Amino acid sequence: MIIVMLIGLAAGIFVGFAFDVSYPSEYSFYISMGLLAAMDSLLGAIRADMEGKYNNLIFISGFLTNAILAAALVYLGDRLGLPFYYAVILVFGGRLFQNLAVIRRLIIEKYLTKKEKDITN
Amino acid sequence: MKGKAILYFIICLFVGCSIVVLTKTVNGQHLFVSSKVLDDYRITIEGERKDIENLIKLADESREELEALEALKAANEDISREVEARLLQDLDFYSLAGGFVDAIGPGVEVVIDDGTRDLEFGENPNDILVHDLDLLLIINELKDAGAEVISVNGQRIVDTSSISCSGYTVRINGQFYARPFVIRAIGDGSRMSAALIGPGGYGTVLKDWGLIFRISILDDIVIPAYTEDRASKYMTLSTADKVKEGENN
């Protein structure tokens, strides 16, 4: 799975460099919000995977709804002149760290407890 | 299992691609802008847009005019009458604007006179006299408030008019005038009087100094034509290829 992800990342970076994608700078917020939503979904999916609760439908629907809500908030903030994107950044950023912490714990439990068992045996 | 791998691949592809695209475009420049700056930009852009609209409207009008004349010409009609009417209309406007004919219309009449209060001990008498600067400032305020034609003591204020101090009199268009000074202006009377006697207006300032300042809104103000010599010695017409607009201001 890690190999697939690394290949995907490498391919994405390659695509980004190879094709000269340009967009109006006013959309950069939307792209960053999409990026945050994608990273959040990715970490959430990894966590769910390690907890054995992974579901394809939940993964993809979560990513899409999160991205749409983030874009809607950014758009609304743009219209109202209020920095609503803070909400998106804070929530996604917070969840990134939370998910990472859970993943870390799961990895530590998985490998370290095994080792301890090995030692005790 | 396969679907999961594909989904992971797609999301990772998206993450990598957007990271690269974002870094390439942002290029280290700061992106976050305060709403105040945005607002300023918005106002500037709106102003520019309005200017553009006005220019487009002007161009359209000129084009329509040209088309009308060309249509008349194509119909082989005699357009000299049409052109003549237009020219006469233009002539009316330019003679009014240039001050060659009398103007009449609603406006305000401002009377300024030297103050009559007692001077305090050691006070400079200049404090309660009307100066050329007072007249100039009032004229400027009137123009700012939309005055179309202005006269001071019957002297039409035109493009070459000057107001200067000459002892106890004031020189307007080369003629000497003493107090009281009567400034007449044609335009939106309530707006002009509000500009002068409103809080912070120059009329209020003069009154506070002790001068006499009266303003009245009148319906029929007649402003005489400019009568002084105005032959030009130095300026000539410039043609379009001699001067480029906006390059040597």
Side-chain angles (χ1 to χ4, degrees):
Chain A
M1 195 54 67
I2 293 171
I3 295 163
V4 171
M5 284 164 61
L6 284 179
I7 293 172
L9 264 179
I13 289 170
F14 173 74
V15 167
F17 275 121
F19 298 96
D20 201 11
V21 192
S22 67
Y23 60 93
S25 56
E26 63 213 72
Y27 293 141
S28 62
F29 261 138
Y30 295 92
I31 296 183
S32 1
M33 292 311 141
L35 178 63
L36 265 179
M39 278 158 65
D40 173 63
S41 301
L42 198 60
L43 278 185
I46 294 168
R47 174 191 169 182
D49 204 4
M50 295 179 89
E51 284 173 342
K53 294 189 287 190
Y54 179 81
N55 184 335
N56 263 338
L57 196 62
I58 288 176
F59 179 31
I60 198 69
S61 67
F63 169 61
L64 286 179
T65 49
N66 279 350
I68 288 169
L69 180 64
L73 272 179
V74 172
Y75 178 75
L76 195 67
D78 238 12
R79 292 281 108 187
L80 296 177
L82 290 170
F84 278 179
Y85 57 87
Y86 284 161
V88 181
I89 292 175
L90 285 178
V91 168
F92 282 156
R95 280 207 343 207
L96 276 178
F97 282 105
Q98 215 177 335
N99 282 336
L100 189 66
V102 171
I103 290 167
R104 184 169 44 92
R105 263 160 235 270
L106 285 173
I107 290 174
I108 288 172
E109 257 173 41
K110 201 171 160 187
Y111 291 100
L112 279 183
T113 45
K114 210 196 265 174
K115 266 185 192 164
E116 273 168 15
K117 260 183 208 159
D118 288 346
I119 293 164
T120 46
N121 282 348
Chain B
M1 191 62 202
K2 206 180 167 194
K4 190 166 96 175
I6 291 171
L7 277 180
Y8 271 57
F9 179 79
I10 290 171
I11 296 285
C12 281
L13 189 92
F14 178 74
V15 169
C17 187
S18 36
I19 286 174
V20 170
V21 168
L22 274 174
T23 43
K24 262 204 323 198
T25 309
V26 174
N27 221 354
Q29 285 163 3
H30 213 32
L31 253 184
F32 300 99
V33 194
S34 76
S35 58
K36 167 108 178 56
V37 174
L38 273 180
D39 221 41
D40 288 351
Y41 274 128
R42 198 168 296 142
I43 288 167
T44 316
I45 289 169
E46 263 167 27
E48 295 286 330
R49 203 166 282 154
K50 205 155 273 175
D51 278 358
I52 292 172
E53 267 173 23
N54 282 341
L55 284 177
I56 289 173
K57 209 187 277 171
L58 191 71
D60 281 349
E61 274 171 14
S62 306
R63 204 167 293 134
E64 266 172 28
E65 217 165 288
L66 188 69
E67 267 170 17
L69 285 176
E70 269 175 355
L72 279 174
K73 196 182 170 193
N76 226 350
E77 280 178 39
D78 187 18
I79 61 168
S80 61
R81 189 176 296 270
E82 186 92 0
V83 173
E84 197 182 309
R86 264 168 215 280
L87 286 178
L88 282 175
Q89 208 178 319
D90 281 356
L91 181 67
D92 278 355
F93 171 71
Y94 287 126
S95 49
L96 258 180
F100 292 102
V101 291
D102 292 2
I104 187 164
V108 291
E109 188 183 83
V110 182
V111 179
I112 321 167
D113 205 345
D114 295 347
T116 50
R117 68 174 168 89
D118 290 336
L119 287 174
E120 283 160 36
F121 181 70
E123 197 187 355
N124 191 342
N126 272 328
D127 284 357
I128 56 166
L129 295 182
V130 182
H131 296 277
D132 50 331
L133 274 179
D134 300 333
L135 298 176
L136 281 169
L137 278 166
I138 286 171
I139 287 170
N140 197 43
E141 289 272 305
L142 286 172
K143 279 183 181 169
D144 193 34
E148 289 167 359
V149 197
I150 298 174
S151 74
V152 182
N153 279 15
Q155 278 289 341
R156 175 83 155 253
I157 303 296
V158 291
D159 49 348
T160 54
S161 287
S162 66
I163 293 176
S164 55
C165 180
S166 60
Y168 289 105
T169 54
V170 170
R171 214 171 116 164
I172 305 163
N173 287 348
Q175 305 286 337
F176 295 95
Y177 289 93
R179 53 158 286 270
F181 295 98
V182 181
I183 302 175
R184 293 194 181 88
I186 292 177
D188 185 349
S190 49
R191 198 174 143 209
M192 290 191 287
S193 56
L196 280 177
I197 56 178
Y202 199 66
T204 324
V205 175
L206 285 183
K207 266 188 198 167
D208 286 348
W209 275 103
L211 275 77
I212 292 167
F213 180 92
R214 276 197 310 274
I215 185 163
S216 38
I217 301 175
L218 299 176
D219 276 342
D220 292 307
I221 285 183
V222 179
I223 290 183
Y226 184 72
T227 49
E228 307 297 318
D229 179 36
R230 62 184 310 180
S232 56
K233 227 194 247 175
Y234 297 102
M235 61 176 184
T236 50
L237 275 177
S238 103
T239 46
D241 45 87
K242 259 196 226 160
V243 181
K244 274 181 192 156
E245 192 185 345
E247 278 191 6
N248 45 359
N249 38 4

